[in-house]
Amino acid sequence: MEREDLAVALERHGTNTAGQVALAVRAGATFWVDGESMQSARRHFGIWAWRAQCMAEDGTVSCKDFKQGLPALDHWGDALVALGRVDTAKGTHLVFLTADLSSCVAVL
């Protein structure tokens, strides 16, 4: 995936976190997108909702945007999504993209 394509996909999501990650991508942040191995959004949601719960119980502070990201991921249900990662100065963000990689589904 090209850098600019990822930035545009993130901007389409319209959340603060996605916008910040798009800026980081444009500024040269390291990123990786797996456009080959798709999983359902529901599967990713189950994993990350559990992790968010464990982190909350442990009192762990994270840069992950669970408040907006998890409901957005849950909304996509059984739709296949691609997983990506962007390393910013504030931490690593997980990016979930539509199967055609054109739009962002959620950012954690």
Side-chain angles (χ1 to χ4, degrees), residues 64-108:
K64 305 271 186 263
D65 185 8
F66 292 128
K67 187 175 181 179
Q68 289 185 341
L70 287 175
L73 196 55
D74 188 35
H75 173 77
W76 284 79
D78 291 326
L80 294 179
V81 296
L83 176 63
R85 183 180 116 177
V86 177
D87 297 318
T88 70
K90 294 183 179 181
T92 298
H93 291 276
L94 297 176
V95 176
F96 301 88
L97 302 167
T98 56
D100 65 0
L101 307 179
S102 67
S103 295
C104 179
V105 169
V107 178
L108 298 180

Side-chain angles (χ1 to χ4, degrees), residues 15-73:
T15 62
N16 236 6
T17 302
Q20 291 171 359
V21 174
L23 288 174
V25 167
R26 284 203 171 104
T30 303
F31 72 93
W32 164 86
V33 174
D34 182 358
E36 302 294 319
S37 301
M38 306 284 171
Q39 297 286 335
S40 74
R42 185 177 319 284
R43 179 180 171 110
H44 287 294
F45 172 78
I47 292 166
W48 285 98
W50 174 77
R51 289 195 72 181
Q53 180 181 355
C54 291
M55 291 172 74
E57 289 171 0
D58 291 343
T60 303
V61 177
S62 172
C63 71
K64 305 271 186 263
D65 185 8
F66 292 128
K67 187 175 181 179
Q68 289 185 341
L70 287 175
L73 196 55

